Amino acid sequence: MIRFFKTPWIVRKWYPSLTWSFPDRQSIFLTFDDGPNPEVTEWVLDELDKLGAKATFFCEGNRIERSPQIAQVVVRRGHAIGNHGFHHLSGWRTKDSQYLQDIKACDEALNEIGIKSDLFRPPYGRIKKRQIHKLKSKRIIMWSYVSWDFDSEVSPEESIIRLKKAQSGDIIVFHDSPKAFKNLQVILPEILSHFHTKGLKFEAIK
Ligand SMILES: [Zn+2]
């Protein structure tokens, strides 16, 4: 199986209306998917704080309902939250009406705790053009680099080498999930210190 750490240009070209990076910005955009999770998210927040880094958390509705206070802490500490669906459905395998309903359910879980966001990241990055068209009220945020932190067949050392190739404006995906935690604990501090040393800032997508 081929794992792309950097999103292939052909994929970006196929979906030109989605956000893949912010080429004009002098920052790195770290994103964390599949939380919130009490243990992992808190750890990530502490790591980010060490360098004053801000990031964006794409949360699942079902996890927001389980750990609402963690989602609120994320916002209180200056980070952004985006919608990652309620049940983490693949757009390719889900009927449009059900897919849109699931995104709405995640918005409702966020509204319930006083959070509003027009950011959406499709679970697995899988979304049909028709679904994109129907999601006009959302900014759909993809990524230019993925860490593969959740994949036990990828060593954290390899992730670090590949992610260090990112440049200002790039959007990097991590996961604040139990599955990714082992590798994330190795990768994230290295990546933070690498770009910090290069003089880049870490900004939330707002
Ligand atoms: Zn996800």
Side-chain angles (χ1 to χ4, degrees):
M1 177 192 166
I2 302 171
R3 293 178 184 83
F4 292 103
F5 286 80
K6 184 175 183 179
T7 306
W9 66 270
I10 188 85
V11 177
R12 297 173 61 143
K13 209 173 164 191
W14 187 248
Y15 292 104
S17 70
L18 308 187
T19 300
W20 297 94
S21 64
F22 296 99
D24 310 332
R25 307 279 286 273
Q26 289 304 308
S27 296
I28 295 280
F29 296 86
L30 305 180
T31 64
F32 297 87
D33 291 5
D34 301 356
N37 173 278
E39 187 190 3
V40 187
T41 309
E42 295 268 16
W43 178 85
V44 169
L45 292 174
D46 289 344
E47 285 302 307
L48 296 174
D49 270 0
K50 287 178 187 170
L51 293 176
K54 299 299 180 223
T56 307
F57 292 75
F58 288 95
C59 297
E60 291 176 31
N62 74 87
R63 298 192 185 279
I64 294 164
E65 285 194 348
R66 260 181 280 172
S67 310
Q69 69 290 356
I70 309 289
Q72 287 169 317
V73 167
V74 167
V75 173
R76 215 176 299 140
R77 286 168 75 165
H79 307 284
I81 284 200
N83 183 319
H84 197 44
F86 195 93
H87 291 112
H88 206 270
L89 303 177
S90 161
W92 293 357
R93 290 205 238 144
T94 310
K95 266 182 23 191
D96 294 357
S97 57
Q98 191 192 347
Y99 191 65
L100 297 174
Q101 183 53 45
D102 190 74
I103 295 166
K104 203 172 156 214
C106 182
D107 272 339
E108 283 164 7
L110 286 170
N111 290 343
E112 198 68 34
I113 52 170
I115 298 171
K116 284 208 184 311
S117 175
D118 66 344
L119 305 175
F120 172 64
R121 170 168 287 159
Y124 315 101
R126 291 177 181 172
I127 185 165
K128 293 179 205 150
K129 289 210 173 179
R130 213 172 47 224
Q131 294 163 341
I132 293 171
H133 195 70
K134 289 180 177 172
L135 278 169
K136 285 232 163 63
S137 61
K138 295 280 182 209
R139 282 188 290 155
I140 302 178
I141 310 295
M142 305 299 273
W143 57 84
S144 43
Y145 279 86
V146 57
S147 61
W148 294 97
D149 51 359
F150 58 89
D151 189 332
S152 60
E153 287 176 30
V154 176
S155 74
E157 290 73 24
E158 184 180 5
S159 295
I160 290 165
I161 290 168
R162 304 292 202 102
L163 295 180
K164 281 182 176 174
K165 296 195 163 59
Q167 314 221 328
S168 61
D170 275 320
I171 302 172
I172 306 179
V173 185
F174 299 97
H175 297 81
D176 51 336
S177 68
K179 199 177 168 192
F181 197 26
K182 185 164 169 269
N183 284 2
L184 184 67
Q185 283 175 284
V186 183
I187 302 167
L188 184 60
E190 280 282 333
I191 291 306
L192 280 167
S193 99
H194 173 77
F195 289 108
H196 179 72
T197 307
K198 286 182 86 178
L200 290 174
K201 277 196 185 147
F202 301 95
E203 261 188 89
I205 301 166
K206 293 204 166 162

Coordinates of all heavy atoms in Angstrom, one line a residue, residues 39-68:
E39 N -7.9 12.3 27.5 CA -6.5 12.1 27.7 C -5.6 12.7 26.6 O -4.7 13.5 26.9 CB -6.2 10.6 27.8 CG -4.8 10.3 28.2 CD -4.4 8.8 28.1 OE1 -5.3 8.0 27.6 OE2 -3.3 8.4 28.4
V40 N -5.9 12.4 25.4 CA -5.1 12.8 24.3 C -5.2 14.3 24.0 O -4.2 15.0 23.8 CB -5.4 12.0 23.0 CG1 -4.4 12.3 21.9 CG2 -5.5 10.5 23.3
T41 N -6.4 14.8 24.0 CA -6.5 16.2 23.6 C -5.8 17.1 24.6 O -5.2 18.1 24.3 CB -8.0 16.6 23.5 OG1 -8.7 15.7 22.6 CG2 -8.2 18.0 22.9
E42 N -6.0 16.8 25.9 CA -5.3 17.6 27.0 C -3.8 17.6 26.8 O -3.1 18.6 26.9 CB -5.6 17.0 28.4 CG -7.1 17.1 28.8 CD -7.4 18.4 29.5 OE1 -6.6 19.3 29.5 OE2 -8.5 18.4 30.1
W43 N -3.3 16.4 26.4 CA -1.8 16.3 26.2 C -1.4 17.2 25.0 O -0.4 18.0 25.1 CB -1.4 14.9 25.9 CG 0.0 14.7 25.6 CD1 1.1 14.6 26.5 CD2 0.7 14.7 24.3 NE1 2.3 14.6 25.9 CE2 2.1 14.6 24.5 CE3 0.2 14.9 23.0 CZ2 3.0 14.6 23.5 CZ3 1.1 14.8 22.0 CH2 2.5 14.7 22.2
V44 N -2.2 17.2 23.9 CA -1.9 18.0 22.8 C -1.9 19.5 23.1 O -1.0 20.3 22.8 CB -2.9 17.7 21.6 CG1 -2.8 18.8 20.5 CG2 -2.7 16.3 21.0
L45 N -2.9 19.9 23.9 CA -3.1 21.3 24.3 C -1.8 21.8 25.1 O -1.3 22.9 24.9 CB -4.3 21.5 25.1 CG -5.7 21.3 24.4 CD1 -6.8 21.4 25.3 CD2 -5.8 22.4 23.2
D46 N -1.4 20.9 26.0 CA -0.2 21.3 26.8 C 1.1 21.4 25.9 O 1.9 22.3 26.1 CB 0.1 20.2 27.9 CG -1.0 20.3 29.0 OD1 -1.7 21.3 29.0 OD2 -1.1 19.3 29.7
E47 N 1.2 20.5 24.9 CA 2.4 20.6 24.0 C 2.3 21.9 23.2 O 3.3 22.5 23.0 CB 2.4 19.4 23.0 CG 2.8 18.1 23.6 CD 4.2 18.2 24.2 OE1 5.1 18.6 23.5 OE2 4.4 17.8 25.4
L48 N 1.1 22.2 22.7 CA 1.0 23.4 21.9 C 1.3 24.7 22.7 O 2.0 25.6 22.3 CB -0.5 23.5 21.3 CG -0.9 22.4 20.4 CD1 -2.4 22.6 20.0 CD2 -0.1 22.5 19.1
D49 N 0.9 24.7 24.0 CA 1.1 25.8 24.9 C 2.6 26.1 25.1 O 2.9 27.2 25.3 CB 0.4 25.6 26.2 CG -1.0 26.1 26.2 OD1 -1.5 26.6 25.2 OD2 -1.7 25.9 27.3
K50 N 3.4 25.0 25.1 CA 4.8 25.2 25.3 C 5.4 26.2 24.4 O 6.4 26.9 24.7 CB 5.5 23.9 25.2 CG 5.3 23.0 26.4 CD 6.0 21.6 26.2 CE 5.6 20.6 27.3 NZ 6.1 19.3 27.0
L51 N 4.9 26.3 23.1 CA 5.4 27.2 22.1 C 4.4 28.3 21.7 O 4.6 29.0 20.7 CB 5.9 26.4 20.9 CG 7.1 25.5 21.1 CD1 7.3 24.7 19.8 CD2 8.3 26.3 21.5
G52 N 3.3 28.4 22.4 CA 2.3 29.4 22.1 C 1.7 29.0 20.7 O 1.2 29.9 20.0
A53 N 1.7 27.8 20.4 CA 1.1 27.4 19.1 C -0.4 27.3 19.1 O -1.0 26.8 20.1 CB 1.7 26.0 18.7
K54 N -1.0 27.7 18.0 CA -2.5 27.5 17.9 C -2.8 26.5 16.8 O -2.0 26.4 15.9 CB -3.2 28.9 17.6 CG -3.0 29.9 18.6 CD -3.5 29.5 20.0 CE -3.3 30.6 21.0 NZ -2.9 30.1 22.3
A55 N -3.9 25.8 17.0 CA -4.2 24.7 16.0 C -5.7 24.6 15.8 O -6.5 25.4 16.5 CB -3.7 23.4 16.5
T56 N -6.2 23.7 14.9 CA -7.6 23.5 14.6 C -7.9 22.1 14.9 O -7.2 21.2 14.5 CB -7.9 23.9 13.2 OG1 -7.4 25.2 12.9 CG2 -9.4 23.9 12.9
F57 N -9.0 21.9 15.6 CA -9.5 20.5 16.0 C -10.8 20.2 15.3 O -11.8 20.9 15.5 CB -9.7 20.5 17.5 CG -8.4 20.6 18.3 CD1 -7.7 21.8 18.4 CD2 -7.8 19.5 18.9 CE1 -6.5 21.9 19.1 CE2 -6.6 19.6 19.6 CZ -6.0 20.8 19.7
F58 N -10.7 19.2 14.4 CA -11.9 18.7 13.7 C -12.6 17.6 14.5 O -12.0 16.5 14.6 CB -11.6 18.3 12.3 CG -11.3 19.5 11.4 CD1 -10.0 19.9 11.2 CD2 -12.3 20.2 10.9 CE1 -9.7 21.0 10.5 CE2 -12.0 21.4 10.1 CZ -10.7 21.8 9.9
C59 N -13.6 18.0 15.2 CA -14.2 17.0 16.2 C -15.4 16.2 15.7 O -16.2 16.7 14.8 CB -14.7 17.9 17.4 SG -13.4 18.7 18.3
E60 N -15.6 15.0 16.2 CA -16.7 14.2 15.9 C -17.9 14.5 16.8 O -17.6 14.6 18.1 CB -16.4 12.7 16.0 CG -15.4 12.2 15.0 CD -15.0 10.7 15.3 OE1 -15.8 10.0 15.9 OE2 -13.9 10.4 15.0
G61 N -19.1 14.6 16.3 CA -20.2 15.0 17.2 C -20.4 14.0 18.3 O -20.7 14.4 19.5
N62 N -20.2 12.7 18.1 CA -20.5 11.7 19.1 C -19.4 11.9 20.3 O -19.7 11.6 21.4 CB -20.5 10.3 18.6 CG -19.1 9.8 18.2 OD1 -18.4 9.2 19.0 ND2 -18.7 10.0 16.9
R63 N -18.3 12.3 19.9 CA -17.2 12.5 20.9 C -17.4 13.9 21.7 O -17.1 14.0 22.9 CB -15.8 12.5 20.3 CG -15.6 11.1 19.7 CD -14.1 10.9 19.3 NE -14.0 9.6 18.6 CZ -14.0 8.5 19.2 NH1 -14.0 8.4 20.6 NH2 -13.9 7.4 18.5
I64 N -18.0 14.8 21.0 CA -18.3 16.1 21.6 C -19.3 15.8 22.7 O -19.3 16.4 23.8 CB -18.8 17.1 20.6 CG1 -17.7 17.5 19.6 CG2 -19.4 18.4 21.3 CD1 -18.2 18.2 18.4
E65 N -20.3 15.0 22.4 CA -21.4 14.7 23.4 C -20.8 13.9 24.6 O -21.3 14.1 25.7 CB -22.5 13.9 22.7 CG -23.4 14.7 21.9 CD -24.7 14.1 21.5 OE1 -24.8 12.9 21.7 OE2 -25.5 14.8 20.9
R66 N -19.8 13.1 24.4 CA -19.2 12.4 25.5 C -18.2 13.2 26.3 O -18.1 13.0 27.5 CB -18.4 11.2 24.9 CG -19.2 9.9 25.0 CD -18.4 8.7 24.5 NE -18.4 8.6 23.1 CZ -17.7 7.8 22.3 NH1 -16.8 7.0 22.9 NH2 -17.8 7.8 21.0
S67 N -17.5 14.2 25.7 CA -16.6 15.0 26.4 C -16.7 16.5 26.1 O -15.8 17.1 25.6 CB -15.1 14.6 26.0 OG -14.9 13.2 26.1
P68 N -17.9 17.0 26.4 CA -18.2 18.4 26.0 C -17.2 19.4 26.6 O -16.8 20.4 26.0 CB -19.6 18.7 26.5 CG -19.9 17.6 27.5 CD -19.1 16.4 27.1

